[in-house]
Amino acid sequence: MTKQPQRKKACAELNQEKRYRTRRRLTIRGVLSFFIVLTFVRAAFMHRYENMFVCVLSLALFCVPMLIERSLDIDIPPLMEAIIYCFIFAAEILGEINSFYTIIPGWDTMLHTINGFLVAAVGFSLVDLFNRSERFSFKLSPLFLAIVAFCFSMTVGVLWEFFEFGADQMLGTDMQKDFIVRNINSVSLNPDGLNTVVHVPIESLVVNGEDWMQFPGGYLDIGLIDTMKDLQVNFIGAVAFSIIGYFYVKTRGKGKLAASLIPIVLDPQNNEPEEKGLKKKAPDREPNADQSRPINQNDEKE
């Protein structure tokens, strides 16, 4: 009798916590969605159809966390979900449509760092969910989980750079932003043909009759520096979360920061079907067990 009130109280507290977290999620998603709709209307009046497509894509991406929760039967922490929403808004609406990539220095670098952190969290979460599931027989150490999360993040970062390069080459975009180069360090400029670096400052540069030293201010590197910089900051974000995830698994639940970023399995929904299945299978198992021991059955009858 004492367990039932405790269970009801625990369920009430759990439901209240779920409602509170749902309100926070809807508030963040609703506010950002409102600004996206305003941006869509503005783009429609200005006949900027590409920006309208970006707005629709952003709203579609906002539905991804909810779909992942339902399909994988997990619960994404509100902080993690809020970071995802803000990242999508900052990348698509502020970065692409409002030109924050070019207006604000370091905007792209900041987003790639956050991206490395988030993707490492996603990779870590997937492997950690498998690691804790009873359906899988293997168990991974905390260090291996951290390494897998790091490798997953770096792989996604490399694939994204492939996408940027392919878009620039085939679609004529400029996703790999240019950098101004004022010095050239190359062995190809060595007049003796030796493997010795020659440092040549760029003092004059004329392209199509225009002096590029006046504008843009030097030679344009088309993508290489941007790609390597993006991978470097992706590396920093991946390492940061891998370290956090390592200590989270090591202490299992004591890390508040990692707990607010790592999805959890919805145990109440998963355990109930399993318990029902065990209850249904229990009568079938008892006769089999009794048949394997006829002597004990006779003893019981006697």
Side-chain angles (χ1 to χ4, degrees), residues 218-233:
Y219 172 75
L220 284 180
D221 166 75
I222 50 175
L224 176 60
I225 296 178
D226 178 76
T227 297
M228 297 308 299
K229 175 184 62 65
D230 291 344
L231 291 178
Q232 287 174 352
V233 296

Side-chain angles (χ1 to χ4, degrees), residues 70-89:
R70 293 182 178 180
S71 60
L72 297 180
D73 202 16
I74 61 176
D75 179 40
I76 301 177
L79 178 60
M80 179 67 168
E81 194 167 351
I83 293 176
I84 294 174
Y85 292 145
C86 293
F87 177 83
I88 296 172
F89 186 83

Side-chain angles (χ1 to χ4, degrees), residues 2-302:
T2 58
K3 293 183 178 180
Q4 292 182 356
Q6 293 179 353
R7 289 180 179 178
K8 291 182 179 180
K9 183 179 180 181
C11 291
E13 292 178 355
L14 181 61
N15 293 331
Q16 184 178 2
E17 176 66 17
K18 286 182 178 180
R19 288 193 295 268
Y20 174 69
R21 295 171 68 174
T22 301
R23 284 198 299 268
R24 284 193 296 176
R25 291 173 177 176
L26 294 178
T27 300
I28 297 174
R29 186 167 55 190
V31 171
L32 295 180
S33 299
F34 174 75
F35 285 112
I36 292 176
V37 171
L38 290 182
T39 305
F40 179 87
V41 174
R42 176 192 173 196
F45 278 109
M46 300 178 68
H47 302 287
R48 294 183 177 179
Y49 302 108
E50 293 182 0
N51 293 348
M52 294 171 62
F53 172 77
V54 172
C55 292
V56 175
L57 177 62
S58 300
L59 292 175
L61 291 175
F62 274 13
C63 300
V64 172
M66 180 179 60
L67 296 176
I68 292 177
E69 283 186 329
R70 293 182 178 180
S71 60
L72 297 180
D73 202 16
I74 61 176
D75 179 40
I76 301 177
L79 178 60
M80 179 67 168
E81 194 167 351
I83 293 176
I84 294 174
Y85 292 145
C86 293
F87 177 83
I88 296 172
F89 186 83
E92 300 297 334
I93 305 303
L94 299 180
E96 292 291 343
I97 297 180
N98 294 323
S99 301
F100 275 33
Y101 286 127
T102 55
I103 296 176
I104 300 179
W107 187 261
D108 182 64
T109 301
M110 176 194 68
L111 291 181
H112 273 280
T113 306
I114 298 175
N115 178 73
F117 188 89
L118 287 178
V119 175
V122 172
F124 183 91
S125 301
L126 292 176
V127 180
D128 187 47
L129 291 177
F130 293 151
N131 199 39
R132 287 185 287 168
S133 176
E134 297 180 354
R135 292 178 295 177
F136 298 92
S137 59
F138 64 89
K139 296 296 179 181
L140 305 179
S141 65
L143 179 60
F144 193 83
L145 284 173
I147 293 175
V148 170
F150 169 79
C151 293
F152 181 80
S153 177
M154 293 303 300
T155 301
V156 173
V158 170
L159 293 177
W160 177 255
E161 294 302 324
F162 286 170
F163 171 75
E164 288 187 347
F165 176 78
D168 292 347
Q169 295 297 313
M170 294 183 290
L171 302 179
T173 60
D174 188 21
M175 298 186 70
Q176 294 177 300
K177 298 298 184 290
D178 305 327
F179 276 80
I180 305 297
V181 178
R182 296 184 175 87
N183 296 281
I184 296 179
N185 307 314
S186 175
V187 298
S188 300
L189 299 178
N190 193 314
D192 300 327
L194 301 176
N195 190 27
T196 304
V197 179
V198 176
H199 308 280
V200 180
I202 300 176
E203 298 177 352
S204 64
L205 179 64
V206 178
V207 179
N208 296 332
E210 297 181 0
D211 185 8
W212 276 26
M213 297 307 296
Q214 298 295 326
F215 179 82
Y219 172 75
L220 284 180
D221 166 75
I222 50 175
L224 176 60
I225 296 178
D226 178 76
T227 297
M228 297 308 299
K229 175 184 62 65
D230 291 344
L231 291 178
Q232 287 174 352
V233 296
N234 192 101
F235 172 86
I236 295 174
V239 169
F241 187 86
S242 298
I243 294 174
I244 295 174
Y246 170 80
F247 287 104
Y248 172 78
V249 176
K250 196 75 173 177
T251 58
R252 184 47 70 187
K254 293 183 179 179
K256 294 183 179 180
L257 177 59
S260 63
L261 297 172
I262 298 178
I264 59 174
V265 180
L266 296 178
D267 293 332
Q269 295 182 4
N270 291 337
N271 292 336
E272 290 179 1
E274 293 179 358
E275 292 176 358
K276 292 179 181 179
L278 291 174
K279 291 179 181 179
K280 291 180 180 179
K281 294 180 180 179
D284 297 333
R285 291 178 181 177
E286 291 178 0
N288 294 334
D290 295 337
Q291 291 175 5
S292 62
R293 294 186 296 172
I295 298 176
N296 295 337
Q297 287 183 353
N298 296 330
D299 294 340
E300 291 177 359
K301 291 180 180 179
E302 291 176 359

